[in-house]
């Protein structure tokens, strides 16, 4: 009996030991592959330069918010701007405001902190928001190119071919598709395991430096990023190029110099905007992983995420006579009401 009892006790202790060791192993393994937060390196580790960048970023953000929201309000309260072109422009202003608000405020806060940390879920949310913003901007620029094509090539049928219902459908479809892409890409990114390091070589949470941190297989994520980003850029660029080929031929058929200048002026702002956008986007994402220099990508990221949202409303307003006339009318009404 004593021997049997000792045997059972030995087996019980051995089983408990094995289970305990197994639990410790899997807990250690889980802790090794899970990351609770990320450390952002930012643009520089120089304290004096960080203060300067804080001032510059704050100024750019204030200009971005005021100009984009101001443009949206101006389009809403000005009857002469209630056309498809300005309907799309108001949504582009909203997207620029949304995109820069997903990046810049957190960057401003981190620039004043010694340790620029960001929680796992906050980082995932920022990745989703930023990709969504990128796709929205891409699609809206394509829709605006098609709108310019219809306006210049079929001016008499412009109102018939671009009814408000169609404009709303195109914008809503862009929003739904952009959010879907952002959500799927963010899920794929944070489904990977992060083991060796949680230090992100960027001033915000972005796909490319996060992929570089992953310790699990990144081939599927890299393939997804390249195919989806490539598909979006290629399709939208095709729409833009085809639209402007027809626009150029239509403008060349205009006999009067004044007519040609007016047609070119309506497209100049859009051409300038898409040139900056597509060039920056292609440089950031349409490269193999081996050719990425993350430090060089930071400059493109600043241009893409911070500067472009500020430039768009300035480009479309300062070079647009209808917008300037609407602003003058609002100022006159405000001035006359105060007297």
């Amino acid at each position: 009996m004593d021997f049997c009892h000792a045997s059972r006790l030995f087996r019980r202790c051995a089983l408990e030991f094995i289970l305990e060791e197994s639990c410790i192993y899997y807990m250690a393994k889980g802790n090794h592959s899970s990351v609770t937060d990320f450390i952002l390196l930012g643009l520089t580790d120089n304290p004096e330069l960080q203060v300067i960048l804080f001032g510059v970023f704050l100024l750019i953000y204030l200009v971005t918010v005021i100009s984009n929201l101001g443009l949206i309000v101006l389009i809403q309260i000005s009857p002469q701007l209630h056309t498809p072109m300005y309907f799309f422009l108001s949504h582009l202003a909203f997207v620029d405001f949304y995109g820069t608000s997903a990046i810049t405020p957190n960057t401003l806060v981190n620039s004043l902190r010694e340790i620029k940390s960001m929680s796992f879920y906050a980082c995932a949310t920022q990745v989703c928001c930023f990709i969504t913003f990128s796709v929205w901007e891409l699609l809206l620029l394509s829709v605006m190119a098609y709108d310019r094509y219809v306006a210049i090539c079929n001016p008499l049928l412009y109102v018939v071919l671009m009814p408000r219902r169609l404009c709303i459908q195109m914008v809503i479809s862009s929003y739904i598709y952009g959010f879907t892409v952002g959500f799927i890409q963010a899920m794929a990114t944070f489904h990977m395991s992060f083991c060796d390091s949680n230090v992100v070589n960027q001033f915000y949470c972005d796909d490319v430096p996060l992929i570089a941190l992953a310790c699990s297989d990144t081939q599927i994520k890299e393939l997804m990023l390249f195919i989806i980003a490539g598909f979006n850029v290629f399709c939208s660029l095709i729409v833009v190029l085809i639209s402007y080929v027809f626009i150029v031929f239509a403008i060349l058929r205009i006999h009067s110099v004044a007519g040609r200048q007016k047609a070119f002026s309506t497209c100049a702002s859009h051409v300038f905007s898409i040139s900056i956008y597509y060039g920056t986007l292609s440089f950031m994402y349409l490269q193999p992983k081996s050719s990425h220099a993350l430090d060089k990508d930071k400059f493109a990221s600043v241009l893409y995420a911070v500067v472009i949202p500020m430039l768009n409303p300035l480009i479309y307003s300062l070079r647009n006579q209808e917008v300037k006339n609407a602003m003058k009318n609002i100022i006159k009404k405000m001035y006359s009401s105060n007297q």
Side-chain angles (χ1 to χ4, degrees):
M1 292 292 293
D2 293 340
F3 176 78
C4 293
H5 178 71
S7 178
R8 285 197 299 270
L9 183 62
F10 176 79
R11 287 198 299 268
R12 182 180 176 184
C13 292
L15 180 61
E16 289 180 353
F17 176 79
I18 293 171
L19 289 173
E20 184 179 357
E21 287 298 306
S22 298
C23 290
I24 293 173
Y25 169 76
Y26 283 111
M27 287 176 63
K29 184 179 178 182
N31 289 335
H32 180 63
S33 62
S34 63
V35 170
T36 58
D37 60 359
F38 292 94
I39 306 299
L40 307 177
L41 289 183
L43 295 172
T44 179
D45 56 358
N46 187 322
E48 295 179 357
L49 192 55
Q50 285 180 356
V51 174
I52 296 174
L53 289 175
F54 174 83
V56 173
F57 273 50
L58 179 61
L59 178 62
I60 291 176
Y61 182 64
L62 291 176
V63 173
T64 302
V65 171
I66 294 171
S67 58
N68 280 291
L69 294 183
L71 185 59
I72 293 172
V73 172
L74 180 65
I75 292 172
Q76 292 298 319
I77 65 177
S78 302
Q80 65 269 35
L81 300 182
H82 291 175
T83 63
M85 173 183 173
Y86 295 106
F87 173 77
F88 295 129
L89 184 56
S90 65
H91 283 276
L92 181 67
F94 165 74
V95 169
D96 284 332
F97 165 73
Y98 163 84
T100 193
S101 296
I103 302 297
T104 309
N106 186 71
T107 303
L108 291 172
V109 172
N110 281 337
S111 64
L112 300 177
R113 298 166 62 183
E114 185 176 352
I115 300 177
K116 302 170 177 58
S117 63
M118 198 170 189
S119 70
F120 182 89
Y121 292 107
C123 188
T125 302
Q126 191 174 63
V127 168
C128 180
C129 291
F130 185 70
I131 295 175
T132 300
F133 151 72
S134 303
V135 179
W136 283 352
E137 185 113 353
L138 200 66
L139 296 178
L140 282 175
L141 289 174
S142 304
V143 170
M144 292 174 71
Y146 175 75
D147 172 72
R148 291 298 82 207
Y149 153 74
V150 176
I152 293 175
C153 297
N154 299 283
L156 300 178
L157 299 175
Y158 180 55
V159 179
V160 178
L161 295 175
M162 296 294 291
R164 185 167 184 83
R165 182 179 179 181
L166 177 61
C167 297
I168 294 174
Q169 288 175 346
M170 287 193 288
V171 169
I172 292 176
S173 300
S174 300
Y175 285 156
I176 294 174
Y177 176 76
F179 175 76
T180 303
V181 171
F183 182 78
I184 291 174
Q185 289 281 25
M187 287 289 290
T189 299
F190 290 89
H191 185 69
M192 298 185 299
S193 298
F194 301 94
C195 311
D196 299 330
S197 174
N198 66 337
V199 179
V200 181
N201 190 9
Q202 186 58 280
F203 64 95
Y204 64 94
C205 283
D206 187 30
D207 255 0
V208 175
L210 285 170
I211 292 173
L213 290 182
C215 59
S216 58
D217 186 16
T218 62
Q219 288 185 353
I220 295 177
K221 171 57 188 178
E222 287 184 55
L223 194 62
M224 283 181 60
L225 181 64
F226 187 81
I227 290 176
I228 296 177
F231 173 79
N232 292 333
V233 172
F234 176 77
C235 291
S236 58
L237 192 58
I238 287 295
V239 173
V240 170
L241 291 176
I242 292 176
S243 298
Y244 273 100
V245 166
F246 283 103
I247 288 172
V248 169
F249 281 115
I251 291 176
L252 292 177
R253 288 197 296 267
I254 299 175
H255 298 292
S256 64
V257 177
R260 288 185 179 181
Q261 289 179 346
K262 183 178 179 180
F264 272 120
S265 64
T266 60
C267 300
S269 300
H270 186 253
V271 171
F272 183 69
S273 180
I274 62 176
S275 298
I276 298 175
Y277 183 83
Y278 282 99
T280 308
L281 187 67
S282 300
F283 176 79
M284 286 176 63
Y285 292 109
L286 298 184
Q287 307 178 63
K289 182 178 178 181
S290 59
S291 65
H292 266 289
L294 295 177
D295 290 329
K296 293 181 180 179
D297 283 351
K298 289 183 182 180
F299 174 77
S301 299
V302 171
L303 181 64
Y304 179 78
V306 180
V307 178
I308 289 180
M310 179 193 67
L311 290 179
N312 278 338
L314 300 178
I315 293 170
Y316 284 102
S317 59
L318 296 179
R319 294 182 58 87
N320 191 304
Q321 192 60 43
E322 290 180 331
V323 173
K324 288 191 285 188
N325 290 337
M327 291 177 64
K328 290 178 182 178
N329 292 335
I330 298 299
I331 293 172
K332 286 180 182 178
K333 288 180 181 180
M334 293 175 60
Y335 179 76
S336 60
S337 64
N338 291 330
Q339 289 184 336

